[in-house]
């Protein structure tokens, strides 16, 4: 989120003393441009306009915090949420860069039209929804304007590509009767299409906006509370203090800090920039080259999207699509997340041995004990949501009370308080201490930070509405299965390629939604449990963060390190590749579903813990072997035949079967014996 990211960079931990090269202001500004590419380039308004938009954003956050505790009907909550999102989007996201930092008359017109379209729908109530199959001319007019407003909103926040994808789906709904088999359908008129998308809870106001209005915004507010109470700064400082003093300390610091920052940041690019701004000088001093350092930072940032308890916005959609608890999604993500960070850790350890990394001491950071004693309460943010859900609270109430808890605990340290202590000593005015307090900034950032996601969910609602209206999902799954000849492995490969290609063009949330409705049915039809199919798609949608041409995390990291963007992307691929073979394990064989802990807490009671432990162990060994093959180092430098053997061993161990596991272990054994027999002091090169 742009505002919380800026706060994190500005207040981030000081880098170790006398480390060069320092990150320049120009590099940070360039990196922020990549954040804006992902989240949209918001205007920075001043004066009365700034106060007005801040007030609307604060009101939006307070409204959604209220709805978390009160009962607001879906037919009111979802439209009001979209109304807030579109209104603020048109005031804060300019039509073009040359109009930044001011609001033009057409922005006010579009913002007013957004409110009018929502007011018309809410005022129409049940009568409006009942006539969705035969809408009146006024209904159609408002609906067409509303859809056009969403298209322009998504163009402003996410770019032309996603807007073009939505237009393509609308064209398919309108003109599908002109297409050949198997793509053809009866074709729908404008009235029927508008009725389905605007006048029901199946289109724009469907699953995606349901999740955006009830979960995503609350988690965004929660992340903003953590950021403005200093949790992000503490986690970086804690990682620096905990991991210093060894040759692997620099890499380990990035791995630990990226995991801890996932909650406060909630964005892969934001985590990369926040961490990179303070960690790159340390990586450079340790011996990392510009491209390798950028790749590690981008890989660490990617972990923020897949790390419990917050994960990415798409994870909330998984729970809604599958009609399961969000706690079940957290459970499913636990082992894959551990394997992801295991892969990063193994790569870091091999980096230190392959490149002869130097020890780095962090003199500018407090001791681990001092930090923990003063700011221990920030660790509650990592467990609060899960604890509340285990106590029986719904996900919505859990994040609500976790937000309340983060507000309350912020007063345990004077420099973390979300309302300045001076308010309670009656020094200064209410306006000075509350309206300009970190609390107000957190409430404002919580709403503004999710505008791009909110508009994306509205646009995705159009796509989902078209898919359900035309039956495209079933057609597409049949086509994929036919091309794969009914083979599950080929179907999984084709599905991963489809998700990856879609992810090149659109954000993670949109990529997941599109592929969940058009690609997941193919896997499910071949016997893959729905939870495994959706988690498979989720993980490959996340790959868009490190995949060119929209590899925003590596590009942002390259801006900070001064490296080559495409070489940095290749380095990020190297760091992330071992873990992203794991999703194949839980779709190719029933035993692989143990990595997802059988899909829910309920299923754990009858689970075979021995099989779960075995598949986790083989996955871990396979990841280690693949990492060693990619790095060219096991217990010593590996030649090309050994690297190929290690890569094959990793692939064999990732495939969940006894025969492939035996082959993988045998290959690793052969490489170990060969390296042990010729073991001698190895020459060390320079990182890069």
């Amino acid at each position: 989120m742009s505002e919380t990211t800026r706060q994190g960079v500005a207040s981030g931990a000081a880098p170790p003393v006398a480390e060069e090269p320092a990150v320049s202001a120009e590099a940070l500004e360039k990196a922020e441009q990549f954040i804006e590419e992902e989240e949209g380039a918001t205007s920075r308004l001043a004066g009365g306009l700034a106060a007005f938009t801040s007030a609307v954003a604060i009101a939006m956050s307070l409204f959604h915090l209220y709805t978390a505790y009160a009962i607001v009907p879906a037919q009111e909550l979802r439209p009001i949420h979209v109304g807030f999102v579109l209104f603020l989007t048109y005031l804060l996201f300019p039509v073009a860069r040359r109009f930044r930092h001011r609001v033009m008359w057409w922005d006010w017109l579009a913002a007013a039209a957004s409110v009018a379209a929502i007011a018309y729908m809410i005022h129409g109530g049940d009568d409006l929804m009942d006539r969705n199959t035969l809408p009146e001319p006024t209904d159609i007019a408002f609906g067409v304007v509303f859809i056009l407003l969403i298209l322009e909103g998504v163009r402003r926040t996410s770019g032309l590509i996603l807007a073009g994808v939505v237009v393509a789906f609308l064209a398919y709904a309108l003109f599908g009767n002109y297409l050949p088999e198997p793509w053809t359908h009866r074709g729908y008129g404008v009235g029927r299409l508008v009725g389905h998308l605007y006048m029901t809870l199946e289109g724009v106001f469907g699953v995606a906006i349901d999740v955006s209005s009830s979960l995503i915004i609350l988690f965004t507010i929660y992340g903003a509370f953590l950021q403005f109470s200093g949790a992000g700064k503490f986690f970086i400082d804690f990682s620096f203090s905990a991991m210093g003093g060894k040759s692997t300390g620099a890499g380990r610091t990035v791995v630990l800090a990226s995991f801890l920052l996932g909650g406060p940041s909630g964005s892969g690019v934001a985590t990369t920039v926040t961490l990179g701004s303070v960690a790159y000088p340390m990586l450079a001093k340790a011996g990392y080259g510009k491209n390798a350092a950028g790749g590690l930072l981008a890989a660490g940032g990617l972990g923020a999207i897949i790390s419990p308890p917050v994960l990415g916005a798409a994870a909330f959609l998984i729970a809604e699509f599958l009609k399961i608890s969000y706690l079940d999604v957290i459970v499913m993500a636990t082992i894959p997340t551990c394997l992801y960070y295991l892969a990063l850790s193994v790569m870091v350890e091999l980096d230190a041995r392959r490149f002869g990394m130097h020890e780095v001491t962090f003199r500018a950071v407090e001791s681990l004990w001092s930090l923990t004693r003063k700011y221990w309460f920030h660790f509650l943010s990592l467990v609060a949501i899960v604890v509340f859900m285990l106590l029986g609270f719904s996900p919505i109430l859990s994040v609500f009370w976790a937000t309340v808890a983060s507000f309350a605990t912020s007063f345990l340290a004077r420099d973390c308080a979300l309302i300045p202590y001076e308010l309670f000593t009656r020094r200064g005015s209410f306006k000075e201490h509350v309206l300009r307090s970190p609390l107000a900034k957190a409430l404002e950032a919580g709403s503004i930070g999710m505008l791009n996601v909110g508009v994306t969910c509205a646009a995705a609602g159009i796509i989902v509405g078209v898919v359900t209206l035309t039956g495209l999902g079933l057609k597409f799954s049949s086509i994929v299965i036919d091309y794969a000849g009914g083979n599950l492995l080929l179907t999984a490969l084709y599905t991963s390629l489809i998700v990856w290609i879609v992810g090149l063009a659109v954000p993670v949330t949109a990529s997941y939604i599109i592929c969940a409705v058009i690609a997941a049915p193919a896997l499910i039809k071949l016997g893959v449990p729905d939870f495994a199919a959706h988690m498979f798609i989720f993980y490959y949608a996340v790959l868009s963060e490190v995949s060119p041409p929209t590899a925003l995390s590596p590009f942002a990291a390259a801006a900070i390190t001064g490296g080559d963007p495409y070489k940095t992307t290749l380095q990020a691929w190297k760091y992330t590749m071992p873990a992203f073979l794991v999703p194949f394990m839980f779709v190719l064989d029933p035993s692989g579903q143990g990595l997802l802990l059988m899909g829910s807490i309920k299923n754990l009671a009858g689970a075979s813990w021995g099989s779960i432990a075995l598949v986790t162990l083989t996955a871990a060994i396979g990841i280690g072997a693949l990492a060693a093959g990619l790095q060219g180092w096991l217990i010593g430098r590996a030649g090309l035949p050994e690297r190929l053997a290690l890569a094959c061993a990793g692939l064999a161990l990732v495939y969940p079967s006894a025969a492939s596991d035996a082959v993988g272990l045998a290959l690793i054994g052969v490489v170990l014996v060969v390296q042990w027999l010729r073991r001698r002091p190895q020459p060390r090169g320079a990182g890069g």
Side-chain angles (χ1 to χ4, degrees):
M1 295 64 182
S2 299
E3 290 302 318
T4 47
T5 301
R6 293 189 190 101
Q7 173 73 7
V9 171
S11 62
V17 172
E19 293 188 355
E20 296 292 343
V23 179
S24 66
E26 292 78 11
L28 289 176
E29 184 177 350
K30 188 175 180 182
E32 191 170 316
Q33 291 176 4
F34 288 104
I35 299 177
E36 291 179 347
E37 282 190 44
E38 180 181 70
E39 303 174 356
T42 57
S43 296
R44 299 178 190 176
L45 305 176
L49 272 177
F52 175 72
T53 54
S54 295
V56 174
I58 291 171
M60 179 178 175
S61 289
L62 291 174
F63 169 74
H64 283 89
L65 288 171
Y66 165 77
T67 61
Y69 202 81
I71 298 176
V72 179
Q75 58 266 35
E76 295 177 9
L77 172 60
R78 298 181 196 179
I80 291 173
H81 174 74
V82 175
F84 267 122
V85 166
L86 288 177
F87 184 81
L88 284 172
T89 293
Y90 278 106
L91 295 186
L92 292 174
F93 292 83
V95 68
R97 284 188 177 272
R98 66 178 181 273
F99 296 110
R100 283 191 73 178
H101 313 317
R102 58 186 186 271
V103 180
M104 307 302 293
W105 64 266
W106 52 76
D107 298 321
W108 286 111
L109 181 63
S114 302
V115 173
I118 294 300
Y120 180 82
M121 182 196 175
I122 294 176
H123 179 72
D126 291 338
D127 291 339
L128 182 81
M129 291 191 171
D130 288 343
R131 61 176 184 264
N132 71 84
T133 55
L134 292 171
E136 298 175 356
T138 308
D139 302 336
I140 296 174
F142 272 101
V144 169
V145 169
F146 181 65
I147 291 171
L148 291 175
L149 287 168
I150 291 174
L151 288 173
E152 170 59 12
V154 80
R155 186 198 66 80
R156 293 188 182 199
T157 57
S158 298
L160 273 171
I161 295 178
L162 181 55
V165 170
V166 178
V167 170
F169 274 89
L170 288 171
Y172 176 74
L174 293 170
F175 308 113
N177 54 313
Y178 295 107
L179 296 175
E181 290 287 350
W183 301 102
T184 188
H185 63 82
R186 56 176 287 189
Y188 295 90
V190 173
R192 181 71 180 90
L193 183 60
V194 166
H196 184 72
L197 297 179
Y198 172 63
M199 300 168 64
T200 71
L201 298 182
E202 302 295 326
V204 172
F205 305 108
V207 171
I209 284 297
D210 178 26
V211 174
S212 177
S213 63
S214 59
L215 271 177
I216 294 175
I217 186 169
L218 292 177
F219 274 87
T220 308
I221 295 169
Y222 176 59
F225 270 57
L226 295 180
Q227 190 66 58
F228 281 88
S229 65
K233 178 182 185 301
F234 165 70
F235 289 143
I236 292 176
D237 287 347
F238 179 86
S239 302
F240 272 58
S241 293
M243 295 299 176
K246 294 185 178 180
S247 59
T248 54
R252 289 179 180 179
T253 299
V254 172
V255 174
L256 177 59
S258 64
F259 170 73
L260 295 175
L261 279 173
S265 170
S267 163
V269 180
T271 301
T272 299
V273 173
T274 302
L275 183 56
S277 63
V278 295
Y280 170 59
M282 169 194 64
L283 291 171
K285 186 177 180 182
Y288 279 88
K290 294 178 180 180
N291 300 321
L296 179 58
L297 289 168
L302 191 70
I305 310 177
I306 62 173
S307 299
V310 177
L311 295 125
F316 307 117
L317 293 159
I318 294 175
E320 188 64 28
F321 274 123
L322 298 180
K323 302 301 179 185
I324 59 176
S325 164
Y326 182 64
L327 183 59
D328 288 335
V329 179
I330 292 176
V331 167
M332 288 192 288
T334 299
I335 293 179
T337 300
C338 291
L339 292 173
Y340 180 81
Y341 281 102
L342 171 67
L344 282 187
S345 299
V346 171
M347 298 290 267
V348 163
E349 298 294 326
L350 294 175
D351 275 338
R353 288 155 179 77
R354 181 185 176 199
F355 297 131
M357 297 297 180
H358 315 300
E359 293 183 9
V360 182
T361 54
F362 311 128
R363 293 168 290 168
V365 181
E366 291 184 62
S367 69
L368 189 63
W369 165 245
S370 176
L371 281 170
T372 305
R373 179 175 54 83
K374 287 197 289 189
Y375 304 112
W376 60 270
F377 54 89
H378 285 309
F379 285 116
L380 296 177
S381 64
L382 299 178
V383 297
I385 295 173
V386 176
V387 168
F388 280 118
M389 283 193 280
L390 288 174
L391 290 175
F393 290 86
S394 68
I396 294 173
L397 278 179
S398 295
V399 69
F400 172 81
W401 285 115
T403 305
V404 172
S406 72
F407 172 75
T409 56
S410 74
F411 294 100
L412 293 176
R414 190 182 188 91
D415 56 338
C416 294
L418 286 170
I419 297 179
Y421 275 57
E422 287 74 15
L423 175 70
F424 305 104
T425 58
R426 300 191 177 185
R427 284 180 287 174
S429 65
F430 176 84
K431 178 180 179 181
E432 180 181 350
H433 292 314
V434 176
L435 298 184
R436 297 175 184 173
S437 67
L439 173 63
K441 293 177 181 176
L443 290 169
E444 178 187 0
S447 290
I448 293 176
M450 67 81 55
L451 293 180
N452 67 315
V453 176
V455 177
T456 297
C457 286
I462 294 175
I463 293 172
V464 173
V466 169
V467 170
T468 57
L469 186 65
T470 62
L472 177 61
L474 294 176
K475 291 185 180 74
F476 193 85
S477 63
S478 298
I479 293 168
V480 172
I481 292 172
D482 288 344
Y483 271 112
N487 181 278
L488 179 56
L489 175 59
L490 283 178
T491 302
L493 282 170
Y494 291 158
T495 302
S496 66
L497 287 173
I498 291 166
V499 180
W500 179 61
I501 292 169
V502 171
L504 296 180
V506 300
V508 172
T509 305
S511 174
Y512 167 75
I513 294 172
I514 293 169
C515 296
V517 296
I518 67 171
L523 293 171
I524 295 170
K525 192 177 288 187
L526 290 178
V528 176
D530 54 2
F531 66 86
H534 280 262
M535 289 297 284
F536 179 87
I537 287 172
F538 168 68
Y539 279 103
Y540 276 94
V542 170
L543 264 179
S544 64
E545 287 281 340
V546 292
S547 302
T550 56
L552 297 181
S553 288
F555 280 33
I560 289 174
T561 66
D564 179 89
Y566 291 98
K567 290 181 180 178
T568 300
T569 300
L570 291 176
Q571 290 288 332
W573 263 352
K574 182 188 76 172
Y575 283 111
T576 58
M577 190 58 68
F580 278 101
L581 290 175
V582 171
F584 280 94
M585 294 189 73
F586 44 75
V587 298
L588 294 181
D589 191 87
S591 65
Q593 294 159 26
L595 293 177
L596 298 176
L597 294 176
M598 313 313 292
S600 70
I601 292 179
K602 188 191 307 179
N603 292 340
L604 283 179
S608 169
W609 286 98
S611 65
I612 291 175
L614 179 61
V615 73
T616 303
L617 178 63
T618 57
I621 297 173
I623 281 174
L626 192 55
L630 290 169
Q631 289 284 52
W633 194 282
L634 189 55
I635 59 175
R637 192 174 300 278
L640 181 59
E642 295 163 26
R643 296 181 72 169
L644 290 174
L646 288 169
C648 292
L651 293 173
L653 286 164
V654 163
Y655 190 88
S657 77
S660 64
D661 289 347
V663 170
L665 292 173
L667 286 172
I668 294 173
V670 169
V671 176
L672 282 171
V673 169
V674 169
Q675 291 204 349
W676 181 79
L677 289 174
R678 72 155 191 264
R679 190 171 183 182
R680 60 181 183 272
Q682 297 293 319
R684 290 176 171 176

